[in-house]
Amino acid sequence: MELSYSPQEEEFRARLREWLAKVLPTLPPKPSPGDWPARRAYDLGWQRMLYDAGYADVHWDASPTTRLIFLEETERAGAPYVGANFVGLLHAGPTIAAEGTPAQRARWLPPVLRGEEVWCQGFSEPGAGSDLAALRTRAWRDGDDYVVTGSKIWTSHAEVADWCELLVRTDPQAPRHRGITWLALPMDADGVTVRPLGTLAGSAEFAEVFLDEVRVPAANRVGAENDGWRVTMVTLSFERGTAFVGEVVACRRVLTELASAARENGRWDDPVLRRRLGRLEAEFRALWRLTQWNVSEAEASGGVPGVGGSVFKLRYSHARQDLYDTAADVLGPAALDLDQSWVLDRLSSLSYTIAAGTSQIQRNIVAERILGLPKGR
């Protein structure tokens, strides 16, 4: 594991830090969390600024270490998060960059980099739970098109998306992990219906998506037909490997803020709370080192994160929940006020042990692929 930075990487860090200090004060106020059209415009506008400054392609054209520096510095500076561009920049984009044809990369990647198109993720399905291989959305070939029928749920940003990274079953007779295909679905195609879902926090960044004989050009298939499970593992390795880097930096900042708030409101006198804060500090330091280890591994293996991302995802999900439970202890009765800092983050943290593969799925991956334990029946 190499944790040091080269002179070129340190120069990149300094140049980025200087640019952020200059442009962040010029940004307009962030829109309301519930105003998704405005949030889309804000997020795409920020991505365009990154593009014009030469930082837009850092998620797939830069080395993993440069990407790590970018995420670390933007989060520390308080720059906008990827927001509506989450799937395009951190899931679909890297997957297309790694698995797409030259024509697919030329069609789909530049609009994402320029902040012109938003992607959503069509993986989860009603009735499949966390078992992604149980998906039942069906696609069959008809000439130059696939015809898709089925439904998806918890589809991130579907209500404002232009494209969807869609998993479909193209061979129902094949074993569960085979017979799956990865398609790029245009969200304005005939037969696509989007129904937003309200979250516990009152926002609506997820939706149900219903597909009624939707025709998708076969040219929109990424990877070979029935090879979608392998392509999906590439997508999920990005999600579990580097997509949470900025969040770790943010959690470490929140931890410092919690300690300050506890000193101000008297909660610091509680030795149990101080122990919790100290343990969390050690936990997030370890997670940051694990992030660097995963990045080093990706650097050595051609840029695609390995199964170490599952170790990170498993521990990070629970650490994040512990962090915001501790925030509730610091806030006391104010933890029931949605307008207080950290309250909405506490509600959203509940989803982390489900999203991007449940903790049970991560434990299975660690047991089988890292520890070499036999698969259960």
Side-chain angles (χ1 to χ4, degrees):
M1 177 172 58
E2 177 57 65
L3 298 181
S4 61
Y5 298 105
S6 69
Q8 293 78 15
E9 289 162 347
E10 291 293 5
E11 188 277 332
F12 172 81
R13 183 192 297 278
R15 179 161 44 87
L16 173 61
R17 190 174 291 180
E18 181 181 1
W19 180 77
L20 289 168
K22 183 172 64 176
V23 302
L24 291 183
T26 69
L27 293 181
K30 292 183 179 178
S32 165
D35 187 351
W36 265 102
R39 288 179 65 181
R40 172 186 160 114
Y42 183 88
D43 295 340
L44 292 182
W46 170 243
Q47 181 59 29
R48 180 67 197 200
M49 292 178 71
L50 291 171
Y51 178 82
D52 290 340
Y55 295 113
D57 61 350
V58 71
H59 296 293
W60 54 67
D61 261 2
S63 70
T65 302
T66 300
R67 192 179 314 139
L68 176 71
I69 293 171
F70 173 84
L71 293 169
E72 181 182 8
E73 289 300 322
T74 50
E75 183 59 44
R76 281 180 174 168
Y81 188 49
V82 288
N85 297 307
F86 181 83
V87 175
L89 285 171
L90 304 183
H91 293 197
T95 303
I96 294 167
E99 297 289 331
T101 66
Q104 289 171 337
R105 290 195 288 271
R107 165 61 188 90
W108 288 316
L109 298 186
V112 172
L113 296 177
R114 291 194 297 261
E116 295 170 352
E117 293 182 343
V118 170
W119 285 67
C120 64
Q121 187 181 66
F123 283 11
S124 300
E125 293 191 5
S130 60
D131 186 3
L132 186 58
L135 67 89
R136 293 181 295 181
T137 292
R138 182 80 171 89
W140 60 93
R141 188 70 178 262
D142 182 21
D144 292 333
D145 295 335
Y146 287 99
V147 181
V148 182
T149 291
S151 64
K152 298 289 178 177
I153 197 168
W154 307 120
T155 307
S156 307
H157 311 317
E159 68 276 16
V160 292
D162 304 289
W163 293 90
C164 176
E165 53 172 349
L166 183 72
L167 291 183
V168 296
R169 188 163 294 285
T170 40
D171 184 355
Q173 306 305 318
R176 283 167 15 103
H177 294 85
R178 300 173 186 171
I180 294 173
T181 298
W182 200 106
L183 298 177
L185 165 73
M187 291 297 286
D188 61 354
D190 291 339
V192 176
T193 301
V194 176
R195 187 163 66 189
L197 293 169
T199 69
L200 183 65
S203 59
E205 60 262 38
F206 301 105
E208 293 177 284
V209 177
F210 300 94
L211 307 164
D212 183 12
E213 297 193 350
V214 180
R215 300 190 75 87
V216 180
N220 288 14
R221 187 189 69 227
V222 174
E225 184 173 290
N226 300 326
D227 192 32
W229 184 260
R230 185 192 61 78
V231 177
T232 301
M233 292 303 103
V234 173
T235 303
L236 295 181
S237 69
F238 280 109
E239 185 174 41
R240 296 164 188 164
T242 56
F244 295 105
V245 166
E247 295 192 20
V248 175
V249 177
C251 285
R252 296 183 72 180
R253 185 184 66 244
V254 168
L255 191 57
T256 301
E257 294 170 353
L258 285 179
S260 297
R263 289 188 179 93
E264 291 175 4
N265 68 11
R267 293 286 293 126
W268 189 254
D269 295 335
D270 181 352
V272 175
L273 176 68
R274 293 202 303 273
R275 277 198 297 273
R276 289 182 71 180
L277 291 170
R279 183 182 55 76
L280 283 166
E281 169 67 13
E283 182 106 52
F284 281 104
R285 280 178 178 269
L287 281 167
W288 183 247
R289 293 306 182 197
L290 180 57
T291 298
Q292 292 178 309
W293 189 92
N294 286 336
V295 167
S296 296
E297 183 184 53
E299 193 97 50
S301 61
V304 178
V307 294
S310 288
V311 179
F312 172 86
K313 170 63 173 55
L314 176 62
R315 193 51 233 164
Y316 170 68
S317 300
H318 292 273
R320 185 182 176 91
Q321 292 177 349
D322 289 346
L323 173 67
Y324 286 105
D325 283 347
T326 304
D329 279 353
V330 172
L331 287 171
L336 300 176
D337 183 353
L338 293 178
D339 292 328
Q340 288 286 332
S341 297
W342 312 311
V343 174
L344 290 178
D345 288 320
R346 186 189 183 208
L347 295 178
S348 70
S349 74
L350 299 175
S351 69
Y352 274 66
T353 45
I354 301 173
T358 66
S359 291
Q360 290 80 7
I361 293 290
Q362 308 309 325
R363 289 190 180 97
N364 281 343
I365 293 173
V366 171
E368 294 170 5
R369 301 185 193 174
I370 297 178
L371 301 178
L373 298 178
K375 291 186 177 182
R377 294 182 178 177

